[in-house]
């Protein structure tokens, strides 16, 4: 009797370990983690033409350093063979803040971020812009870095109207951070299309998001007010001839730029973060109208707050049904978690979903896959380990 | 003279040999009748022994033969025949007393006929003048002859009634359903049982925070869980029994996976369920005192609670293990499930109680996990890196119990 039970159990164990095919239902909703047992941070996600996903970020290994990480997955979120791939220059530290997929990935990728170079005669390092051009299969085509003795970092990238890439980021001079926008060619060479705001009151300024509307660029920036009295959201409206027109969204509270979504040819939604008079951090949404290179009007649509915590938005997008979805991070009660906020097509506040777990969950980016779901990109950190987290939810954000 | 003596001696020996053969045949018939009775072919018993009761059997054997035929009649629902034969036996063996092992209906019939005989004797004593007149009018008859005629009348009556019964069966075209007679009757009983069960999960589809196509995932056994319950059974036929009950069952099992190259984990789960099984048991040897049966049925299972804990380890030991305390995952499991059950059992009946042992295999028909809550397991997901696979849960249940006849 005893041996019969044992043999039966052994058979069961063997059968349970046999291969079991993955069904298509696993494509509809999933949670995936990428990285190693040290520190990996998510930064950007792109949905590729073939339905797969490309993710960039920063990989840190003690004793080795930081490097750019590129992950390409299938539509199930499972990493494709040969990935992740790591990019840096020599033994220098680097990080990827933005990812661009040309022609849905068929034309390869561009990783944008920073490269840290040691400062001669000092223990300090200095950051330069760092670009890595990658083929559709993940092979490095070229890498370029640009910089001065100042620190420069790319935060976002868009394709140029003609050809090449438009980079948005910041430059730190004398300890003060200011807006920086520049263009490069397809081969990564700089073009005479750069913009440094040179605000004498710049302190925390940056170009956070750049959008190619087809015939011009809208760049959303964080801008330090004159006399150093806090920050506002600034819109740069320019074309390949540069000559930007500037619109500052004045406010009494400190605001920080996050993202832009195009509603129509001349209508845009702007996402930002605000620190209220009481010190509470909240989300602010603006709509702006343009007429060519002019910003003709701007309106604050809504503010989103949390009763018991602070909200930091990261990115937003417009759903096929007209709803707006915003991803970010909520801090409340000592817990840090990712949130997904919906607004109706009329900008009425809708459901707010939280994705909490032990440690911290930060919301970084959001994208729409080919079906009705939503992709949420974030970083999951527990003690000394952090991983890139990708979640695919249903159209309501449910897992 | 000598020829006459030889002639007489020859016929005497012939008569003796015939008488001896007659006795030998009836002894064999008695043995055959006992076997037929034990095998449940009770209708053969009177046919085998009635003639021998008239002649061919003596002493204790004859007494046992009487008892066997009377019991066969009682089982065949022929009380009148049984009563007549009881009278005949009491006539042959007036000092007969039933044994402790004799069935209740036999004892009841004995008491009835014994009392009737006693009353008849009293009546005869009260009116003795009637009988002498009758006896004086009749021709004197040998008492042995009287007895043989009386038994012959009884036997003919019994044969006639059996023939009537067979004719009736042929007429209606129905085969009379007679419950098989067993050495030990099935009866209703209620009792308690205890035991243990092994949870046997079956992986239907693996999920993972990594790539499930590349991840090694498997369920494993754990220590058995306890089982405690109440049972109730009632006979449907002499060989079939309906069994039901209510009980608690613990199921335990483990799950191991390595979602990443550098990390693996083991999850230990335990479930507590309330089960209501219903089964039909078929007794393989209804004539035996210790009965073996096979059973088949279904059980409704309600999950009361499910908890899981686990340990995540780094493959190369780059960091220490991460332990997760027991978490409730009841909402991530299917609450109601149905099991198809099959098993074997062994029953030892006593006078008013019985002891039984069973081994069952329960096949879970529904998926054991709740897919809608797959990613709602909190720390199991984010600390242990565990994602519930789709799985079924079978169980091997071993139990022993004690019951009381109702």
């Amino acid at each position: 009797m005893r041996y019969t039970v044992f043999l039966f159990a052994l058979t069961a164990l063997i059968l349970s370990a046999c291969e079991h095919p993955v069904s298509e239902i696993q494509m509809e909703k999933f949670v995936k983690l990428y990285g190693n047992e040290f520190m990996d941070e998510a930064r950007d996600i792109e949905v590729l033409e073939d339905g797969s996903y490309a993710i960039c970020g920063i990989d840190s290994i003690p004793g080795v350093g930081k490097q750019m990480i590129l992950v390409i997955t299938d539509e199930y979120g499972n990493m494709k063979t040969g990935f992740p791939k790591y990019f840096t220059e020599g033994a220098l530290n680097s990080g990827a803040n933005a990812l661009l997929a040309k022609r849905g990935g068929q034309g390869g990728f561009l990783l944008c971020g920073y490269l840290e170079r040691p400062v001669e005669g000092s223990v300090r390092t200095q950051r330069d812009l760092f670009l890595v051009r990658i083929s559709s299969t993940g092979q490095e085509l070229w890498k370029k870095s640009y910089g001065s003795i100042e620190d420069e970092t790319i935060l976002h990238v868009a394709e140029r109207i003609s050809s090449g890439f438009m980079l948005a980021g910041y430059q730190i001079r004398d300890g003060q951070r200011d807006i920086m926008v520049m263009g490069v060619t397809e081969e990564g060479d700089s073009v005479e299309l750069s913009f440094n705001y040179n605000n004498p009151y710049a302190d925390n300024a940056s170009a956070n998001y750049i959008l190619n509307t087809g015939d011009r660029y809208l760049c959303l920036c964080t801008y330090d007010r004159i006399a150093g009295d806090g920050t506002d959201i600034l819109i740069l409206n320019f074309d390949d001839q540069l000559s930007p027109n500037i619109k500052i969204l004045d406010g009494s509270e400190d605001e920080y730029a996050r993202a832009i979504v195009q509603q129509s040819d001349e209508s845009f939604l702007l996402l930002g973060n605000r620190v209220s008079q009481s010190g509470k951090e909240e989300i602010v949404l603006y709509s702006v109208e343009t007429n060519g290179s002019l910003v003709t009007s701007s309106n604050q649509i809504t503010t989103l707050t949390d009763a018991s915590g602070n909200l930091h938005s990261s990115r937003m997008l417009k759903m096929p049904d007209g709803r707006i979805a915003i991803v970010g991070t909520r801090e409340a009660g000592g817990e840090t978690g990712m949130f997904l906020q919906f607004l109706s097509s009329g900008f009425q506040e809708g459901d707010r979903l939280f994705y909490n777990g032990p440690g911290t969950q930060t919301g970084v980016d959001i994208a729409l896959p080919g079906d009705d779901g939503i992709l949420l990109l974030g970083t999951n950190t527990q003690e000394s380990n952090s991983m890139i987290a990708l979640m695919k939810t249903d159209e309501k954000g449910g897992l | 003279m000598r020829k006459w003596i030889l002639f007489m001696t020859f016929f005497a020996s012939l008569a003796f040999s015939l008488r001896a053969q007659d006795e030998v045949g009836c002894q064999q018939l008695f043995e055959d009748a006992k076997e037929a009775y034990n095998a449940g072919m009770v209708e053969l018993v009177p046919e085998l022994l009635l003639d021998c009761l008239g002649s061919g059997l003596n002493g204790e054997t004859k007494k046992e033969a009487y008892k066997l035929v009377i019991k066969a009649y009682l089982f065949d629902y022929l009380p009148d025949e049984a009563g007549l034969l009881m009278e005949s036996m009491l006539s042959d063996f007036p000092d007969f007393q039933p044994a402790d092992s004799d069935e209740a209906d036999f004892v009841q019939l004995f008491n009835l006929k014994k009392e009737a005989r006693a009353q008849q004797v009293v009546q005869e004593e009260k009116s003795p003048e009637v009988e002498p007149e009758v006896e004086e009018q009749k021709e004197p008859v040998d008492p042995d002859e009287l007895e043989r005629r009386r038994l012959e009348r009884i036997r003919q009556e019994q044969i006639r009634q059996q023939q009537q019964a067979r004719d009736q069966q042929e007429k209606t075209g129905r085969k009379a359903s007679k419950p098989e007679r067993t050495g030990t009757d099935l009866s209703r009983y209620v009792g308690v049982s205890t035991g243990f069960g092994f949870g046997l999960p079956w992986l239907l589809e693996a999920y993972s925070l990594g790539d499930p196509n590349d991840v090694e995932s498997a369920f494993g056994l754990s220590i058995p869980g306890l089982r405690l319950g109440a049972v109730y059974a009632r006979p449907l036929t002499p060989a079939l029994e309906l069994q039901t009950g209510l009980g608690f069952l613990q199921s335990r099992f483990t799950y191991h996976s390595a979602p990443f190259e550098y990390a693996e984990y083991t999850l230990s789960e335990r479930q507590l369920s309330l089960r209501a099984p219903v089964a039909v048991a078929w007794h393989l040897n209804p004539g035996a005192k210790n009965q073996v049966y096979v059973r088949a049925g279904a059980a409704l299972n309600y999950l009361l609670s499910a908890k899981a804990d686990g340990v995540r380890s780094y493959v190369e030991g780059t960091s220490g293990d991460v332990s997760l305390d027991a978490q409730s995952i009841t909402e991530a499991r299917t609450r109601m499930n149905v099991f198809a059950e099959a098993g074997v059992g062994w029953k030892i009946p006593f006078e008013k109680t019985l002891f039984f042992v069973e081994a069952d295999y329960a096949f879970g028909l529904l998926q054991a996990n709740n897919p809608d809550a797959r990613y709602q397991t909190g720390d199991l997901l984010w600390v242990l890196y565990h994602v519930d696979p789709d799985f079924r849960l079978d169980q091997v249940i071993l139990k022993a119990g004690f019951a009381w006849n109702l």
Side-chain angles (χ1 to χ4, degrees):
Chain A
M1 182 65 169
R2 184 174 50 191
Y3 293 118
T4 304
V5 172
F6 172 77
L7 286 173
F8 190 89
L10 183 63
T11 306
L13 192 62
I14 292 170
L15 287 176
S16 72
C18 291
E19 287 190 11
H20 300 272
V22 171
S23 63
E24 284 191 2
I25 201 170
Q26 291 206 35
M27 195 167 39
E28 296 176 8
K29 290 192 282 188
F30 58 75
V31 175
K32 299 291 180 182
L33 295 179
Y34 313 102
N36 53 41
E37 66 263 45
F38 302 108
M39 304 294 285
D40 291 274
E41 301 169 56
R43 285 290 185 266
D44 202 354
I45 183 170
E46 292 284 323
V47 177
L48 305 182
E49 193 175 77
D50 61 357
S52 54
Y53 314 124
I55 300 166
C56 79
I58 304 168
D59 172 76
S60 303
I61 299 177
V64 175
K66 295 182 184 179
Q67 49 193 343
M68 292 178 163
I69 180 173
L70 175 66
V71 172
I72 295 183
T73 80
D74 57 21
E75 58 272 27
Y76 292 82
N78 299 321
M79 206 149 47
K80 288 189 176 180
T81 305
F83 292 90
K85 289 195 181 294
Y86 304 94
F87 305 95
T88 191
E89 188 173 296
L92 301 178
N93 288 334
S94 64
N97 289 328
L99 170 68
L100 185 142
K102 280 193 68 86
R103 297 197 312 276
Q106 301 300 314
F109 307 94
L110 181 71
L111 286 180
C112 310
Y114 61 88
L115 185 71
E116 293 179 347
R117 296 182 188 282
V119 174
E120 202 169 319
S122 170
V123 295
R124 223 172 46 81
T125 57
Q126 158 245 331
R127 283 190 177 187
D128 288 339
L129 307 179
F130 188 41
L131 304 176
V132 180
R133 186 76 166 89
I134 301 161
S135 71
S136 59
T137 57
Q139 303 306 312
E140 181 182 303
L141 299 175
W142 51 257
K143 54 189 176 188
K144 300 276 176 73
S145 61
Y146 315 89
S148 63
I149 59 172
E150 320 293 349
D151 285 344
E152 292 94 5
T153 299
I154 305 169
L155 296 179
H156 201 241
V157 61
E159 286 192 74
R160 284 181 60 202
I161 298 168
S162 51
S163 70
F165 309 100
M166 190 63 73
L167 314 175
Y170 62 82
Q171 182 185 53
I172 299 178
R173 280 186 295 181
D174 300 326
Q176 293 175 319
R177 198 168 75 185
D178 204 356
I179 296 166
M180 182 200 71
V181 178
M182 69 175 283
V184 296
T185 66
E186 284 284 339
E187 293 73 29
D189 299 319
S190 61
V191 296
E192 290 183 5
L193 185 65
S194 65
F195 176 80
N196 291 77
Y197 198 75
N198 292 325
N199 178 2
Y201 301 98
D203 189 19
N204 296 301
S206 57
N208 297 91
Y209 196 97
I210 188 160
L211 176 71
N212 178 347
T213 67
D215 59 350
R216 62 191 187 284
Y217 306 97
L218 276 180
C219 184
L220 198 66
C221 307
T222 301
Y223 164 76
D224 289 290
R225 295 191 200 109
I226 299 205
D229 186 23
T231 57
D232 283 326
I233 293 176
L234 178 150
I235 308 164
L236 288 175
N237 190 347
F238 59 99
D239 56 19
D240 265 344
Q241 309 308 314
L242 203 56
S243 304
N245 285 309
I246 296 171
K247 170 70 178 178
I248 297 173
L249 305 179
D250 292 318
S252 58
E253 292 150 327
D254 289 343
E255 294 181 351
Y256 305 87
R258 297 308 305 155
I260 308 172
V261 162
Q262 187 166 8
Q263 291 265 77
S264 63
D265 288 344
E266 302 283 2
S267 175
F268 302 89
L269 290 177
L270 310 182
L271 176 69
N273 291 327
R274 169 192 288 173
V275 180
S276 67
Q277 304 267 0
S278 61
K280 205 172 177 64
E281 297 176 52
E282 54 196 31
I283 298 168
V284 61
L285 201 66
Y286 288 93
S287 73
V288 297
E289 303 290 328
T290 62
N291 184 359
S293 60
L294 294 176
V295 177
T296 55
S297 68
S298 65
N299 292 300
Q300 180 181 305
I301 298 173
T302 186
T303 335
L304 302 170
T305 62
D306 186 275
S308 54
N310 296 320
L311 296 177
H312 306 277
S313 67
S314 295
R315 289 288 186 262
M316 72 172 172
L317 52 77
K318 186 176 178 180
M319 305 279 292
D321 58 4
R323 289 179 299 155
I324 301 297
I326 301 170
V327 69
T329 306
R330 171 182 180 257
E331 295 171 354
E335 288 187 352
T336 304
M338 185 192 301
F339 74 83
L340 174 63
Q341 173 74 60
F342 289 104
L343 301 175
S344 70
S345 55
F347 308 117
Q348 298 298 313
E349 188 173 339
D351 292 334
R352 183 180 300 166
L353 295 94
F354 299 102
Y355 308 93
N356 293 328
T360 63
Q361 310 274 351
T362 55
V364 172
D365 202 1
I366 184 171
L368 291 179
D371 53 17
D372 296 332
I374 301 173
L375 285 169
L376 300 174
L377 181 70
T379 300
N380 170 256
T381 304
Q382 293 180 56
E383 297 179 351
S384 58
N385 175 231
S386 70
M387 298 187 78
I388 296 169
L390 178 65
M391 292 188 288
K392 186 178 178 188
T393 72
D394 58 25
E395 70 276 10
K396 296 182 180 178
L399 272 174
Chain B
M1 181 60 176
R2 192 178 295 171
K3 284 185 183 177
W4 175 248
I5 293 171
L6 285 174
F7 180 76
M8 290 302 293
T9 305
F10 171 75
F11 275 104
S13 64
L14 183 63
F16 179 77
S17 67
L18 285 173
R19 187 179 174 81
Q21 282 184 357
D22 191 23
E23 287 179 356
V24 168
C26 279
Q27 186 67 34
Q28 186 60 45
L29 286 173
F30 175 63
E31 296 299 328
D32 292 344
K34 282 197 294 186
E35 286 183 17
Y37 183 88
N38 289 331
M41 295 181 286
V42 296
E43 63 273 12
L44 295 180
V45 172
E47 291 178 14
L48 290 171
L49 292 181
L50 277 178
D51 287 342
C52 291
L53 286 174
S55 67
L57 293 174
N58 296 296
E60 282 300 312
T61 308
K62 184 174 182 179
K63 192 190 298 183
E64 291 300 319
Y66 265 123
K67 284 178 64 175
L68 196 63
V69 178
I70 292 170
K71 288 180 180 180
Y73 278 141
L74 288 173
F75 186 83
D76 251 359
Y77 299 102
L78 299 172
D80 293 339
E81 291 79 353
L84 287 172
L85 205 61
M86 180 66 80
E87 290 174 3
S88 177
M89 184 178 75
L90 288 175
S91 177
D92 286 350
F93 302 97
D95 295 328
F96 168 79
Q97 290 293 327
D100 292 339
S101 59
D102 287 332
E103 290 76 4
D105 51 357
F106 178 87
V107 175
Q108 186 180 17
L109 180 63
F110 165 78
N111 290 332
L112 187 68
K113 292 301 178 183
K114 184 83 172 177
E115 187 175 342
R117 275 179 68 85
Q119 287 177 354
Q120 187 180 7
V121 168
V122 169
Q123 282 181 350
E124 286 173 356
E125 288 174 354
K126 281 183 180 176
S127 55
E129 64 280 6
V130 176
E131 283 184 1
E133 287 181 23
V134 172
E135 285 181 4
E136 286 174 6
Q137 292 171 5
K138 286 187 180 175
E139 294 179 7
V141 180
D142 179 19
D144 289 339
E145 180 61 25
L146 273 176
E147 185 61 20
R148 275 194 291 274
R149 288 179 190 171
R150 190 179 73 81
L151 289 175
E152 184 61 24
R153 283 198 300 275
I154 292 171
R155 190 176 74 82
Q156 292 299 327
E157 179 62 23
Q158 289 167 351
I159 291 172
R160 185 188 64 78
Q161 288 180 358
Q162 284 178 5
Q163 184 60 42
Q164 273 183 348
R166 276 195 286 271
D167 292 342
Q168 186 65 24
Q169 283 179 14
E170 287 174 6
K171 197 174 180 181
T172 58
R174 262 189 306 122
K175 187 175 180 184
S177 170
K178 297 188 182 118
E180 292 182 25
R181 185 70 171 182
T182 64
T184 306
D185 290 343
L186 296 182
S187 60
R188 288 187 305 149
Y189 61 84
V190 64
V192 293
S193 69
T194 185
F196 48 91
F198 294 90
L200 297 180
W202 291 84
L203 183 66
L204 299 177
E205 184 172 344
Y207 283 70
S208 176
L209 291 181
D211 187 346
N213 296 301
D214 295 340
V215 170
E216 294 179 1
S217 303
F219 281 102
L221 297 180
S222 182
I223 57 174
L226 291 177
R227 187 210 169 274
L228 184 66
V231 296
Y232 169 77
R234 60 170 297 168
L236 298 175
T237 70
L240 292 178
E241 180 179 84
L242 178 70
Q243 299 176 341
T244 185
L246 193 65
F248 295 95
L249 176 65
Q250 267 188 339
S251 296
R252 297 171 187 262
F253 52 90
T254 62
Y255 183 75
H256 178 85
S257 183
F260 309 111
E261 285 183 353
Y262 66 88
E264 59 185 4
Y265 69 88
T266 299
L267 181 84
S268 297
E269 181 169 340
R270 55 189 182 278
Q271 299 183 355
L272 179 64
S273 303
L274 186 65
R275 290 172 63 88
V278 175
V280 173
W282 176 42
H283 293 70
L284 302 179
N285 53 343
K289 185 170 175 60
N290 299 333
Q291 295 163 5
V292 176
Y293 56 91
V294 293
R295 61 193 295 275
L300 196 61
N301 192 94
Y302 180 76
L303 181 68
L304 296 173
S305 71
K307 291 188 177 180
D309 58 68
V311 177
R312 168 162 58 90
S313 309
Y314 290 89
V315 174
E316 295 183 3
T318 49
S319 297
D321 291 352
V322 177
S323 296
L324 184 67
D325 293 336
Q327 313 276 313
S328 173
I329 55 169
T330 309
E331 296 308 312
R333 296 291 176 263
T334 303
R335 283 279 193 166
M336 293 293 294
N337 208 334
V338 180
F339 287 79
E341 290 191 342
V344 294
W346 179 42
K347 187 192 295 180
I348 306 175
F350 300 105
E351 189 173 339
K352 292 187 179 179
T353 58
L354 65 93
F355 172 78
F356 63 92
V357 176
E358 271 182 22
D360 295 317
Y361 188 89
F363 180 92
L365 297 178
L366 305 179
Q367 193 168 305
N369 64 296
N370 177 9
D372 292 335
R374 192 186 313 277
Y375 297 106
Q376 315 304 325
T377 53
D379 286 3
L380 255 65
L381 180 68
W382 298 110
V383 174
L384 215 57
Y385 295 159
H386 168 76
V387 181
D388 275 342
D390 286 342
F391 69 99
R392 281 191 312 99
L393 183 62
D394 292 351
Q395 291 156 343
V396 171
I397 304 168
L398 306 175
K399 59 187 176 188
F402 205 74
W404 292 264
N405 288 326
L406 297 176

